Amino acid sequence: MTKMACVLEPPLRMSVLSEVTASSRHYVDRLFDPDPQKVLQGVVDMKNAVIGNNKQKANLIVLGAVPRLLYLLQQETSSTELKTECAVVLGSLSMGTENNVKSLLDCHIIPALLQVHHTAFPGLLSADIRFIEACLRCLRTIFTSPVTPVELLYTDATVIPHLMLLLSRSLYSQEYICQIFAHCCKAPDHQTILFNHGVVQNIAHLLTSMSYKVRMQALKCFSVLAFDNPQVSMTLVNVLVDGELLPQIFVKMLQRDKPIEMQLTAAKCLTYMCRAGSIRTDDTCIVLKTLPCLVRMCNKERLLEERVEGAETLAYLIEPDVELQRIASITDHLISMLADYFKYPSSVSAITDIKRLDHDLKHAHELRQAAFKLYASLGANDEDIRKKIIEAEHMMDRIVNGLSESSVKVRLAAVRCLHSLSRSVQQLRTSFQDHAVWKPLMKVLQNAPDDILVVASSTLCNLLLEFSPSKEPILESGAVELLCSLTLSENPALRVNGIWALMNMAFQADQKIKSDILRGLSTEQLFRLLSDSDVNVLMKTLGLLRNLLSTRPHIDQIMSTHGKQIMQAVTFILEGEHNIEVKEQTLCILANIADGTTAKDLIMTNDDILQKIKYYVGHSNLKLQLAAMFCIANLTWNEEEGSQERQDKLREIGIVEILHKLSQSTDPNLCDKAKTALQQYFA
């Protein structure tokens, strides 16, 4: 029986399809009538049949209406009225499902509508404005569909100039073209192409258009052009429209009597210009206009998407600037206002519109994400603000819950917030401990995407500082293994964080922890990290070595097992092309080795290293001289066994002469150290 069913299925499907499409076929057939008047009537009837009817749209596409409509649209013999009606039907078809749009794209609708490839026919540049608007409306719908690759606007170099020429034709053409540009500008190279085509100059005057929709789309265009783009932002500052500078026009659009959408988009423009460096953070248009406007958007009276956008834009605006963080934190009780983001929509919600409530329940996680982002920015630098945030009701519980939410974006924002708060010594000792934040954090680190891993591992670095009470339990939960695995990552930020956390872990640690780290990391990996191409990885690895090689018994113990390789690595770095900081850190490691009891011999029996110490103590850079001086001081200290032999050897290679010179140094610190070392010789 099952076999029979399988055989029967396809014909069944086909017959159903033919029944459905049969009723639509006559619409398509009429497009092929030899009488132009009947064709026109056919297109008009088709237009009326498809409006608001997705099923009918799909049927007509299946039956091949699109190529025929495009053909009629491009025929020189077609009347303007017919072309316009064809464009209207295509526009209606594109308003249907995403599959409809895909079908239209497959028929190359974009070049056809732009008439770019038909030199004989001027296409959109033809005189009839209704035809132009119908084509542009259809293009707008197609370009703003999620299934249309935005690259299609840029692959053909004639498209943008073509659209620019049409900007002056009518208010609708301005609205649709700005909407296309705003939607398709998604990356820096898009911004550059649009900028180079003169978009800024061509749409600036539209900000004072009599049409609200035109003003709004032009404003959206500026916000996407300015985002993270210093070149565009620097230009915008000086653009004049009717004798007024653009930033002043944006400020007018921020006023409370303007529609919310306009206030928000104008605030974005000013925010992006400020972040790109073209408006100062202490400019009144930021402090007294943009910032308060964005705080207003966080009010619970606003719609969900307005609150989300307001909070995220404000987070971006204040992120690098402590003064703006302080001002925001005391504006309109912002910190407690954000606590409402976690209670929405509540069961006793004031929303009477059932559709709205359903929408908001589906999107409530976006509010939590936005609140975490804004808390992270607010608490980035100031200890008092962090305290206020943590004291907001149930804050730590909310972060802990956020770390295990199903939405990756909420998890990332919660980790960012935790990272920001973990910069506080006070909070690490109190709230973080009370809520055992390290547990969910370690869980997040098990198998998260890279962007979460980077922030979570940075937070872990802070929880592993020596004064943090979380350090012990984190160690017991297998952190060494986890962090060692991070140092193997392809992503340099993860390698840095892995090694940085190990460095913090090794600081003033007992011998067992240090041995665990060395075992977990393996000597091979440690030396691989010492030749890492990323200078931050190298610096943190040197920091780890320096922390491992502290306190005498540990120094002697580690050098007895790994001495040969460590000395090779030190030589390798001191000979390499590295910056001052790297070499200084390496000399400090040597100074630590020189402080060991038996480890000293590894320096004293290595003529190459002794010559390097001599070279750096006479170097032109003060930091390197001081670091090399520590090595000499530890080697010549005469209360230790064998000091006489060591002093003699250093005298032989000319170190004492250098010390005499340095005892006359103009730098008090260096002069002091040289005199102390010389005293060891004469004590």
Side-chain angles (χ1 to χ4, degrees), residues 240 283-284 363 368 414 452 589 594 651 674:
L240 277 169
D283 191 303
T284 53
H363 294 270
R368 296 192 291 279
I452 291 186
I589 290 171
R651 188 196 297 272

Side-chain angles (χ1 to χ4, degrees), residues 350-362:
I351 307 176
T352 46
D353 175 356
I354 240 3
K355 253 189 174 165
R356 184 79 221 173
L357 182 61
D358 184 51
H359 168 273
D360 285 5
L361 283 165
K362 285 195 185 100

Side-chain angles (χ1 to χ4, degrees), residues 663-674:
S663 65
Q664 312 296 313
S665 167
T666 51
D667 180 80
N669 204 350
L670 190 59
C671 166
D672 228 25
K673 295 274 185 295

Side-chain angles (χ1 to χ4, degrees), residues 7 15 29 42 87 151 175 218 232 237 240 244 274 285 300 304 334 484 509 515 517 521 629:
V7 174
S15 63
D29 292 344
E151 293 303 330
E175 179 194 333
V232 173
V237 179
L240 277 169
E244 239 183 331
C274 178
C285 78
K300 62 170 179 246
L304 177 137
L334 178 63
C484 290
S515 302
I517 292 173
L521 206 52
M629 188 62 90

Side-chain angles (χ1 to χ4, degrees), residues 243-361:
E244 239 183 331
L245 286 167
L246 265 193
Q248 293 165 324
I249 292 176
F250 293 150
V251 167
K252 280 187 178 169
M253 291 175 152
L254 284 178
Q255 288 164 353
R256 288 168 186 260
D257 60 341
K258 297 288 186 289
I260 295 296
E261 177 190 31
M262 181 172 272
Q263 290 184 45
L264 248 175
T265 314
K268 277 184 169 177
C269 290
L270 290 160
T271 293
Y272 298 160
M273 288 167 74
C274 178
R275 281 298 307 264
S278 67
I279 300 177
R280 289 169 52 108
T281 52
D282 57 1
D283 191 303
T284 53
C285 78
I286 297 296
V287 178
L288 301 179
K289 301 288 182 185
T290 310
L291 187 147
C293 168
L294 290 169
V295 173
R296 281 203 304 277
M297 298 301 150
C298 300
N299 193 298
K300 62 170 179 246
E301 305 307 314
R302 301 260 56 87
L303 289 173
L304 177 137
E305 43 272 41
E306 293 161 2
R307 292 167 79 189
V308 169
E309 221 171 310
E312 293 197 338
T313 308
L314 182 55
Y316 183 66
L317 172 65
I318 67 176
E319 190 181 17
D321 190 88
V322 67
E323 209 36 57
L324 289 179
Q325 289 156 16
R326 287 184 184 133
I327 295 166
S329 73
I330 54 168
T331 304
D332 288 358
H333 308 289
L334 178 63
I335 289 174
S336 54
M337 191 148 62
L338 287 177
D340 290 332
Y341 276 47
F342 295 93
K343 305 175 194 168
Y344 179 89
S346 65
S347 51
V348 290
S349 184
I351 307 176
T352 46
D353 175 356
I354 240 3
K355 253 189 174 165
R356 184 79 221 173
L357 182 61
D358 184 51
H359 168 273
D360 285 5
L361 283 165

Side-chain angles (χ1 to χ4, degrees), residues 168-228:
S168 57
R169 294 303 301 265
S170 73
L171 291 176
Y172 281 126
S173 65
Q174 291 167 349
E175 179 194 333
Y176 302 146
I177 292 167
C178 285
Q179 204 174 342
I180 291 170
F181 288 162
H183 180 83
C184 295
C185 185
K186 303 273 192 211
D189 51 329
H190 300 163
Q191 291 171 323
T192 306
I193 294 169
L194 289 167
F195 180 79
N196 291 342
H197 275 102
V199 166
V200 170
Q201 291 69 22
N202 279 289
I203 64 171
H205 68 98
L206 302 182
L207 289 170
T208 55
S209 165
M210 52 202 239
S211 154
Y212 170 74
K213 284 184 171 174
V214 171
R215 291 201 300 279
M216 206 45 241
Q217 293 303 337
L219 190 58
K220 283 183 177 168
C221 243
F222 280 123
S223 79
V224 293
L225 283 169
F227 179 68
D228 207 12

